[in-house]
Amino acid sequence: MVNEKICSRLTALRAVMKESGVDWYMAPTADFHNSEYVDDYFKVREFLCNFSGSNGTLIVGQNEAGLWTDGRYFIQAERELEGTGVTLYRMLEENVPTKEEFLAEKMQKGETLGFDGRVVDTNFGRKLEEKLKEKEIRFAYGNDLADQVWNGRPALPCHPVTVLDEEICGQTAGEKLAALREKMKELGADAHFLSKLDDLMWLLNIRGRDVECNPVALSYAYVTGKECHYFLQEGAVTEKLKAHAQKYGVTLHSYEDTLSFLKNCSMEGKVLCDPQNVSYAFYKAISQRAEVINAANPTELMKAVKNPVELACMEEVYVKDSAALCKFIYWVKKNVGKIPITELSAAQHLDRLRSEIDGYLDLSFPTISAYRANAAMMHYEATPESYADLAPEGMLLVDSGGQYLGGTTDVTRTIVLGPVTDVEKEHFTAVAMGMLQLTDAKFLYGCTGRNLDILTRQPMWDRNIDYKCGTGHGVGYILNVHEGPQGIRWRFTEGMKEAVLEPGMDVTNEPGVYIEGSHGIRTENVMVVRKGEKNGDGQFLYFDTLTWAPIDLEAIDPSMMQPKDIERLNRYHETVREKITPYLEEEEAAWLAEATRKI
Amino acid sequence: MVNEKICSRLTALRAVMKESGVDWYMAPTADFHNSEYVDDYFKVREFLCNFSGSNGTLIVGQNEAGLWTDGRYFIQAERELEGTGVTLYRMLEENVPTKEEFLAEKMQKGETLGFDGRVVDTNFGRKLEEKLKEKEIRFAYGNDLADQVWNGRPALPCHPVTVLDEEICGQTAGEKLAALREKMKELGADAHFLSKLDDLMWLLNIRGRDVECNPVALSYAYVTGKECHYFLQEGAVTEKLKAHAQKYGVTLHSYEDTLSFLKNCSMEGKVLCDPQNVSYAFYKAISQRAEVINAANPTELMKAVKNPVELACMEEVYVKDSAALCKFIYWVKKNVGKIPITELSAAQHLDRLRSEIDGYLDLSFPTISAYRANAAMMHYEATPESYADLAPEGMLLVDSGGQYLGGTTDVTRTIVLGPVTDVEKEHFTAVAMGMLQLTDAKFLYGCTGRNLDILTRQPMWDRNIDYKCGTGHGVGYILNVHEGPQGIRWRFTEGMKEAVLEPGMDVTNEPGVYIEGSHGIRTENVMVVRKGEKNGDGQFLYFDTLTWAPIDLEAIDPSMMQPKDIERLNRYHETVREKITPYLEEEEAAWLAEATRKI
């Protein structure tokens, strides 16, 4: 069936391309700050091709169009692209060209590639330059062509920013600015252009709400040894912010003036820019005036290592958040088949329980509530137009989290609603074994996530199954639910960056099994890296868990497990019971005791 | 106690340095080809400072001298450097400067650093250039100053080369040259200068014996699209080699003429050089005449992936080699305390058993026979001057291997000679568990050794112990016992190279525990990467084991093991018994049955 809405949008885009002399047009996922989640204003790619996943790039020519996305979204993209005429390119699969390989092959000598230079990061822009050099491709990056075909496009979001109480930050904005200037000095940078929103929020101890679930404000900063120029929309400025800015020597400017400031300020010496996050258009503007130091924002690593105040707040918030999840699990198990529950109403129930927690701000991402085969789509989202009814059979996967004054949470449990197959049990048990093996890891300082990934993945690989995505990511503090630079992944690419795991970093641990058309399982906790013994062999590290919710024993097959696996599960469940019971009603507590029983 | 021999050598060197205007002199480990093991001719560093380990660099100034070596050798170096006045710098330990950091700090502006440019690889030479640029350090790399102070220096080794039977090579020299030229084309190289000896032997299907235990001949090659110029000492050329060379279009030249050939040949286009293996002096000569492509020798990866003929020969050779080791273990266990046995005579007995195997050529490295605390020195070598007597208590670590027409072996077993402590048992069992966990690994194509290392290391890290060295290395085919590019290691350094594990690669699996002054344990098998299931998630791989010798049950504590660990050990021992029994005498076979009993 042809998707006429999308086809007509693509036709309109192709007409505008022709008028503008653009032969191919590229629409990635990003906003002006390479944020992972983006406001509706920026959802050009979804508008043009219907694919709604969080990662994907659309490339449109006059006669064909392609969408690139990663393994999390293959099933979903296939469905959403149906009838659009857009071809799905499965990233990292064998014989699938990358975007740049595709363009290098398809584009003719001297043709023009169009894209909005504000939404393409510098790294990728330069990779394209390199790859398309030989064909003498012209880049038209000054215009957002999609804007001309998108009637009723939402406005750029703008909300007042909040200044955080210093009590929950552990460090003042002044201290953070001083530490950043130290790092700039080490890197030989006289100035630093910051574009990454969560880094900016962290640095200035402020939060916004310009992106759903991400407590960030659209803004930029230009920091020198003495000055800090902060650019944000006028509607975002409050009196409290003005006082805060003055206190720490921050000069406020209008968001729209960023580019002209960069073109006119006195720019001396070297300017530090993170080519992964500063967009191509801004990089081009700066590099025409100064020598650029290409390096990650120092704030990224500083922010990733949580300080003791942040960690203490997180521990408290995670227990409360886990308690809400436990209440939800009890509720859905008790009521399924008795009252009508859908994927959507289940998610709404959980979201409501979270919203009742002290300091609740928002969800940390839209709750994923995926029943049975829907759960095989890693980032499935039930919508009012499309959702499943829950029944007392099979499993419900719920991946969710909240933003609180005190931390950001991220947790997944797969909940048994009724009879499950032996295969589902085998997969569920394997996932639990992997998750708990990593939880128990002891490792030397110097390890990155790549050293540890196999501890989680091993029970799946032993069964010739892979979950095609990373095992874990960092989590922000009252910030984005996905945060770098740390991560737990296995794939190697030449020259890749890897972050050594530092004490104080938090990271998720979320293995899964996804069987298309059948079932999907994921179990996810958040853990913190802690210092263990230090001896002549080095500094040993281990993980402390933050998340406390039962792993459904109804899908656990103890006969697959080694005594050590069983002991790990029992130990985890014992702590769940201890920490969560105080937050529960009597019948919930009785259920939890049973759900966390020793096996 | 002052080591007067060494002190007087250093005094003599310092005098020559003064005469030559050299302020600091550097003596690394290498021969002209960056071989890991080197002939006595090249043992300048050992001559100058007494440290005899396989990895170490000596740096001498007028008032101080330092030796850099890695964790395998800390204990040994401490002992050997005693009384020499040379400071030990423990590489990779906290707050220990690297060689280049040391020189950058110690050298004064405009001073001269001397070294023999033929024994320093290009990568390191260029790193030094970079690091010492600011201080305007002059490099005097044309002279081997040590030559002037080394009376009675051995001659450059020279032995006739052997042309291998094509039946055991699986590929002719002509086929290998054609494949190399394909790879050169892919890299855009018009010519290729090869300096790595094992690559040269592999490429031309020849072997030498210019280095103890390494069946290689000192030589170079310069390969173009049509020509192959091969440089070797005249004493190495045989009639058979001449015919072989003619058959495959290889022109023979004298070894001594290499540099003048490079300076005078028609050198057009780009020349491929591996900066890790081509020495600084040669690199400088080539880069003055042509554009250099810096990349690993394509032969390195080609050689690492063993072909089916090689693998079939290896399987057979490994069983015979394992049988010799089993006979040895039986012999030493039976006779210890009854007849006089020393570390040295034990090694000699094992070496003799190996030499009786069909196709035996040489040892693949000097046998390590280390009793009790001596085994805590990872690369300890008993000598006629210094060895221990064996007694019926504690453990004997034997790391050994042979060169055969059919393969190169490398195996370690730690043998219980009498009562062992609970701690020794705990460590021995942990080592066995780690070794067997890696043996059983299943993993996706794309993994490098860094993904897998923790499977072996985990039981040690769980006990706050690290073995401070890699878990595994590639093994040559009738070639060097240490071969790249594959390896199993955990440490991450920014920009490091890692080799994806390819089906057909072989790799050792050799965890250990080394407790200074007490005991040392290592268990080592060689494994081959094999293809497993291929499905939508990717190509799964697994390991096949080549080495078959019992893991001493007298030091195994089953109470520490999970059922899975016990099952792995029993499964391994069952195969040992099946494969090795046919090679044993009756009483040996009876012992083996007991030594491989089910636990």
Side-chain angles (χ1 to χ4, degrees):
Chain A
M1 212 182 63
V2 174
N3 184 330
E4 284 176 11
K5 190 176 69 180
I6 294 299
C7 290
S8 76
R9 287 173 184 175
L10 286 172
T11 303
L13 178 71
R14 284 173 172 135
V16 173
M17 285 164 59
K18 239 177 194 162
E19 276 168 34
S20 323
V22 165
D23 301 291
W24 291 82
Y25 193 74
M26 181 174 70
T29 303
D31 63 5
F32 301 152
H33 306 271
N34 201 20
S35 305
E36 188 185 349
Y37 295 99
V38 299
D39 185 78
D40 289 343
Y41 174 86
F42 297 101
K43 293 183 176 167
V44 168
R45 180 255 298 156
E46 179 177 348
F47 173 80
L48 289 173
C49 79
N50 198 42
F51 170 60
S52 65
S54 74
N55 181 27
T57 297
L58 176 70
I59 296 179
V60 182
Q62 285 300 334
N63 302 312
E64 61 176 310
L67 177 92
W68 279 253
T69 190
D70 65 63
R72 293 173 299 175
Y73 292 113
F74 291 165
I75 302 171
Q76 178 180 339
E78 220 169 84
R79 190 167 46 71
E80 292 183 342
L81 293 179
E82 214 188 302
T84 63
V86 176
T87 307
L88 172 61
Y89 291 89
R90 293 174 172 78
M91 284 165 69
L92 292 179
E93 289 216 336
E94 260 184 278
N95 301 320
V96 173
T98 62
K99 297 176 287 250
E100 54 278 20
E101 284 167 357
F102 175 87
L103 287 170
E105 198 207 309
K106 297 282 180 172
M107 289 188 80
Q108 303 299 315
K109 198 158 182 164
E111 280 193 335
T112 296
L113 174 67
F115 57 88
D116 179 353
R118 295 169 303 173
V119 300
V120 166
D121 68 79
T122 300
N123 268 347
F124 187 64
R126 288 159 79 195
K127 196 193 273 181
L128 279 176
E129 282 177 5
E130 179 61 30
K131 196 84 184 177
L132 302 177
K133 196 170 54 184
E134 226 171 88
K135 288 213 167 162
E136 297 166 20
I137 300 303
R138 199 176 69 87
F139 283 12
Y141 64 89
N143 287 310
D144 178 5
L145 291 195
D147 208 44
Q148 299 178 45
V149 300
W150 191 348
N151 294 323
R153 182 174 190 171
L156 203 60
C158 177
H159 299 87
V161 304
T162 304
V163 178
L164 289 183
D165 202 336
E166 280 173 359
E167 220 166 60
I168 62 168
C169 293
Q171 246 190 326
T172 67
E175 288 165 340
K176 290 179 178 179
L177 274 164
L180 172 59
R181 286 175 174 134
E182 262 319 300
K183 294 283 173 194
M184 285 165 55
K185 216 185 256 174
E186 282 172 28
L187 291 163
D190 302 287
H192 178 26
F193 180 65
L194 269 122
S195 160
K196 199 160 179 283
L197 299 183
D198 57 342
D199 283 25
L200 288 161
M201 298 301 107
W202 176 85
L203 179 65
L204 299 177
N205 283 344
I206 59 178
R207 296 296 183 267
R209 44 191 187 97
D210 288 346
V211 179
E212 191 196 355
C213 301
N214 283 9
V216 295
L218 295 177
S219 53
Y220 296 100
Y222 185 77
V223 181
T224 67
K226 296 235 159 83
E227 296 169 9
C228 174
H229 299 276
Y230 188 53
F231 304 84
L232 79 172
Q233 297 183 88
E234 273 153 40
V237 179
T238 64
E239 286 309 311
K240 207 172 161 196
L241 177 69
K242 283 183 189 168
H244 180 68
Q246 195 173 22
K247 182 172 177 188
Y248 294 114
V250 176
T251 313
L252 300 179
H253 300 260
S254 168
Y255 186 62
E256 294 70 27
D257 294 343
T258 316
L259 205 57
S260 71
F261 178 91
L262 290 176
K263 287 179 175 166
N264 297 300
C265 71
S266 85
M267 192 178 281
E268 278 160 20
K270 299 178 184 176
V271 181
L272 172 64
C273 273
D274 180 350
Q276 186 61 44
N277 291 297
V278 170
S279 64
Y280 188 70
F282 282 88
Y283 172 82
K284 282 286 191 187
I286 295 172
S287 63
Q288 279 158 14
R289 297 197 61 208
E291 188 181 331
V292 172
I293 298 177
N294 291 301
N297 291 340
T299 39
E300 197 183 10
L301 185 58
M302 293 155 79
K303 166 172 63 72
V305 175
K306 272 64 183 176
N307 66 43
V309 171
E310 291 171 329
L311 288 171
C313 292
M314 286 164 70
E315 273 182 37
E316 204 182 311
V317 154
Y318 269 78
V319 169
K320 290 178 184 166
D321 185 81
S322 298
L325 179 62
C326 290
K327 283 171 182 281
F328 167 75
I329 296 172
Y330 170 68
W331 173 85
V332 75
K333 278 174 161 288
K334 178 181 153 188
N335 291 305
V336 68
K338 291 174 193 145
I339 61 172
I341 311 181
T342 68
E343 289 172 333
L344 213 56
S345 70
Q348 283 159 352
H349 186 82
L350 175 58
D351 296 351
R352 199 161 44 240
L353 287 166
R354 278 209 165 85
S355 73
E356 288 162 7
I357 296 173
D358 280 355
Y360 173 83
L361 300 170
D362 199 351
L363 299 178
S364 61
F365 56 97
T367 297
I368 296 170
S369 169
Y371 183 47
R372 307 200 80 166
N374 289 344
M377 292 176 259
M378 240 171 275
H379 285 228
Y380 169 83
E381 193 182 342
T383 63
E385 296 78 39
S386 164
Y387 58 82
D389 294 313
L390 306 190
E393 49 182 346
M395 298 181 292
L396 172 69
L397 184 155
V398 181
D399 188 351
S400 64
Q403 296 284 3
Y404 308 91
L405 286 172
T408 302
T409 66
D410 185 4
V411 55
T412 309
R413 285 297 182 272
T414 306
I415 305 160
V416 177
L417 299 186
V420 289
T421 66
D422 287 349
V423 171
E424 286 171 322
K425 274 194 174 185
E426 181 185 348
H427 292 168
F428 187 96
T429 308
V431 167
M433 283 160 58
M435 202 276 276
L436 292 164
Q437 177 161 247
L438 179 61
T439 301
D440 249 22
K442 247 191 196 175
F443 50 101
L444 270 179
Y445 180 81
C447 279
T448 75
R450 266 193 67 226
N451 293 108
L452 306 183
D453 184 271
I454 200 168
L455 294 180
T456 297
R457 213 173 291 264
Q458 191 183 25
M460 275 56 79
W461 280 2
D462 279 349
R463 290 164 175 78
N464 296 315
I465 294 171
D466 184 50
Y467 45 92
K468 289 188 179 171
C469 64
T471 292
H473 57 81
V475 178
Y477 176 71
I478 329 178
L479 266 177
N480 298 356
V481 74
H482 291 165
E483 183 180 280
Q486 74 272 38
I488 300 181
R489 299 180 199 89
W490 73 270
R491 263 185 203 282
F492 169 69
T493 50
E494 191 89 29
M496 71 193 291
K497 295 267 178 204
E498 291 183 57
V500 164
L501 291 167
E502 303 281 347
M505 277 181 172
D506 55 358
V507 69
T508 66
N509 174 0
E510 46 179 317
V513 170
Y514 307 97
I515 307 294
E516 189 173 344
S518 173
H519 58 280
I521 294 158
R522 179 162 66 255
T523 302
E524 175 189 24
N525 281 351
V526 177
M527 317 180 298
V528 180
V529 179
R530 298 283 192 185
K531 276 190 189 181
E533 184 174 316
K534 184 173 181 170
N535 60 33
D537 292 345
Q539 171 69 61
F540 283 90
L541 302 175
Y542 65 94
F543 293 114
D544 259 352
T545 294
L546 289 177
T547 311
W548 304 105
I551 295 166
D552 205 320
L553 291 175
E554 293 182 58
I556 287 285
D557 176 0
S559 75
M560 276 172 56
M561 300 167 84
Q562 298 291 306
K564 191 194 271 177
D565 299 316
I566 290 175
E567 189 269 324
R568 284 173 179 151
L569 182 60
N570 286 336
R571 182 152 38 90
Y572 178 70
H573 273 158
E574 197 181 324
T575 314
V576 170
R577 203 163 56 242
E578 278 167 19
K579 290 198 181 267
I580 302 302
T581 303
Y583 292 85
L584 302 183
E585 303 296 324
E586 198 173 319
E587 64 176 304
E588 291 167 336
W591 161 78
L592 187 67
E594 175 66 15
T596 57
R597 68 188 178 274
K598 211 169 171 170
I599 60 164
Chain B
M1 212 181 64
V2 174
N3 184 329
E4 284 175 13
K5 190 175 70 180
I6 293 300
C7 290
S8 77
R9 287 173 183 174
L10 286 172
T11 304
L13 178 70
R14 284 173 172 134
V16 173
M17 284 165 59
K18 239 177 196 161
E19 275 168 34
S20 322
V22 165
D23 302 290
W24 291 81
Y25 193 73
M26 181 174 71
T29 305
D31 64 6
F32 301 152
H33 306 272
N34 201 18
S35 305
E36 187 184 350
Y37 296 99
V38 300
D39 184 78
D40 289 343
Y41 174 85
F42 297 102
K43 294 184 175 167
V44 170
R45 181 255 299 156
E46 179 176 350
F47 172 81
L48 290 172
C49 78
N50 198 43
F51 171 61
S52 64
S54 74
N55 180 28
T57 296
L58 175 70
I59 296 178
V60 181
Q62 285 300 333
N63 302 312
E64 62 176 308
L67 177 91
W68 279 254
T69 189
D70 66 64
R72 294 173 299 174
Y73 292 114
F74 291 165
I75 302 170
Q76 178 180 339
E78 220 169 86
R79 191 168 44 70
E80 291 182 343
L81 292 179
E82 214 188 303
T84 63
V86 176
T87 307
L88 172 61
Y89 290 90
R90 293 174 170 79
M91 284 164 68
L92 291 179
E93 290 216 336
E94 260 184 276
N95 301 320
V96 173
T98 62
K99 298 177 285 252
E100 54 277 20
E101 285 167 356
F102 175 88
L103 286 170
E105 199 208 307
K106 297 281 179 174
M107 290 188 78
Q108 303 299 315
K109 200 160 179 163
E111 280 193 336
T112 296
L113 174 67
F115 58 88
D116 179 353
R118 296 169 302 172
V119 300
V120 167
D121 67 79
T122 300
N123 267 349
F124 187 64
R126 288 159 78 196
K127 196 193 273 182
L128 279 177
E129 282 178 5
E130 179 61 29
K131 196 83 185 178
L132 303 177
K133 196 170 52 182
E134 225 171 89
K135 288 212 168 163
E136 297 167 20
I137 300 303
R138 198 177 70 86
F139 283 13
Y141 64 89
N143 287 310
D144 179 4
L145 291 196
D147 208 44
Q148 299 178 45
V149 301
W150 191 347
N151 295 322
R153 182 174 189 169
L156 204 59
C158 178
H159 300 87
V161 304
T162 305
V163 178
L164 288 183
D165 202 336
E166 280 173 358
E167 219 166 61
I168 61 167
C169 293
Q171 246 189 325
T172 67
E175 288 165 341
K176 289 178 178 180
L177 274 164
L180 173 60
R181 286 173 173 136
E182 263 318 300
K183 293 282 174 197
M184 284 165 56
K185 217 185 256 176
E186 282 171 28
L187 291 164
D190 302 288
H192 177 27
F193 180 65
L194 269 121
S195 161
K196 199 160 179 285
L197 298 182
D198 57 343
D199 282 25
L200 288 160
M201 299 299 108
W202 175 85
L203 178 66
L204 299 176
N205 283 343
I206 60 178
R207 296 296 184 268
R209 45 192 185 96
D210 289 346
V211 179
E212 190 196 355
C213 302
N214 284 8
V216 296
L218 295 178
S219 53
Y220 296 99
Y222 185 78
V223 181
T224 67
K226 296 237 158 82
E227 296 168 9
C228 174
H229 299 276
Y230 188 54
F231 304 83
L232 81 172
Q233 297 183 89
E234 274 153 40
V237 179
T238 64
E239 287 307 311
K240 206 171 163 198
L241 177 69
K242 284 184 190 166
H244 180 67
Q246 196 173 21
K247 182 171 178 189
Y248 295 115
V250 175
T251 313
L252 300 178
H253 300 261
S254 168
Y255 187 62
E256 295 70 26
D257 294 343
T258 316
L259 205 56
S260 71
F261 177 92
L262 290 176
K263 288 179 176 166
N264 297 301
C265 71
S266 86
M267 193 178 279
E268 277 160 19
K270 300 178 184 173
V271 181
L272 173 64
C273 274
D274 180 351
Q276 185 62 43
N277 292 297
V278 171
S279 64
Y280 189 70
F282 282 88
Y283 172 82
K284 282 286 192 187
I286 295 172
S287 63
Q288 280 157 13
R289 296 197 60 208
E291 189 181 332
V292 172
I293 298 176
N294 290 301
N297 291 341
T299 39
E300 196 183 9
L301 184 59
M302 292 155 79
K303 166 171 61 71
V305 175
K306 272 63 183 175
N307 66 44
V309 171
E310 291 171 328
L311 288 171
C313 291
M314 285 164 71
E315 272 182 38
E316 205 182 312
V317 153
Y318 269 78
V319 168
K320 290 178 184 165
D321 184 81
S322 298
L325 179 63
C326 290
K327 283 171 181 284
F328 167 76
I329 296 172
Y330 170 69
W331 173 86
V332 74
K333 278 174 160 292
K334 178 182 153 191
N335 291 306
V336 68
K338 292 175 192 144
I339 60 172
I341 311 180
T342 68
E343 288 172 333
L344 213 56
S345 70
Q348 284 158 353
H349 186 82
L350 175 58
D351 297 350
R352 199 160 45 239
L353 287 166
R354 277 209 166 85
S355 73
E356 289 161 6
I357 295 173
D358 280 354
Y360 173 83
L361 300 170
D362 198 352
L363 300 178
S364 60
F365 57 96
T367 297
I368 295 169
S369 169
Y371 184 47
R372 305 200 81 166
N374 289 343
M377 292 177 259
M378 240 169 275
H379 286 227
Y380 169 82
E381 194 181 341
T383 63
E385 296 79 38
S386 164
Y387 58 82
D389 295 313
L390 306 190
E393 50 182 345
M395 299 180 291
L396 173 69
L397 184 154
V398 181
D399 188 350
S400 63
Q403 296 285 3
Y404 308 92
L405 286 172
T408 302
T409 66
D410 186 4
V411 55
T412 309
R413 285 297 181 273
T414 306
I415 305 160
V416 176
L417 300 186
V420 289
T421 65
D422 287 349
V423 170
E424 286 171 324
K425 274 194 174 183
E426 181 185 348
H427 292 168
F428 187 96
T429 308
V431 167
M433 282 159 58
M435 202 276 277
L436 292 165
Q437 176 161 244
L438 179 62
T439 301
D440 248 22
K442 246 190 196 174
F443 50 100
L444 270 179
Y445 180 81
C447 278
T448 75
R450 266 192 69 226
N451 293 108
L452 306 182
D453 184 90
I454 200 169
L455 294 180
T456 297
R457 213 173 288 264
Q458 191 184 25
M460 274 56 79
W461 280 2
D462 279 350
R463 290 165 175 76
N464 295 315
I465 295 171
D466 184 49
Y467 44 92
K468 287 188 179 171
C469 63
T471 293
H473 56 81
V475 178
Y477 176 71
I478 329 178
L479 267 178
N480 298 357
V481 74
H482 291 166
E483 184 179 279
Q486 74 272 37
I488 300 181
R489 298 181 200 90
W490 74 270
R491 263 185 203 281
F492 169 69
T493 49
E494 191 89 30
M496 71 193 290
K497 297 267 178 203
E498 291 183 56
V500 165
L501 291 167
E502 304 279 348
M505 278 181 171
D506 56 357
V507 69
T508 66
N509 175 359
E510 46 178 319
V513 170
Y514 307 97
I515 307 293
E516 191 173 343
S518 173
H519 59 279
I521 295 158
R522 180 163 65 251
T523 302
E524 174 189 24
N525 282 350
V526 177
M527 317 180 298
V528 180
V529 180
R530 298 284 193 184
K531 276 189 189 181
E533 185 175 316
K534 184 173 180 171
N535 60 32
D537 292 345
Q539 171 69 60
F540 283 90
L541 302 174
Y542 66 96
F543 293 115
D544 258 352
T545 294
L546 290 177
T547 311
W548 304 105
I551 295 166
D552 205 321
L553 291 176
E554 292 182 59
I556 287 285
D557 176 0
S559 75
M560 275 172 57
M561 300 167 84
Q562 298 292 305
K564 191 195 270 177
D565 299 316
I566 290 176
E567 190 269 323
R568 284 173 179 152
L569 182 61
N570 285 336
R571 182 152 39 90
Y572 178 70
H573 273 158
E574 196 181 324
T575 314
V576 170
R577 203 163 57 241
E578 278 167 18
K579 290 197 182 270
I580 301 303
T581 303
Y583 292 85
L584 302 182
E585 303 297 324
E586 198 173 322
E587 64 177 304
E588 291 167 335
W591 162 79
L592 187 67
E594 175 67 13
T596 57
R597 69 189 177 274
K598 211 169 170 169
I599 60 165

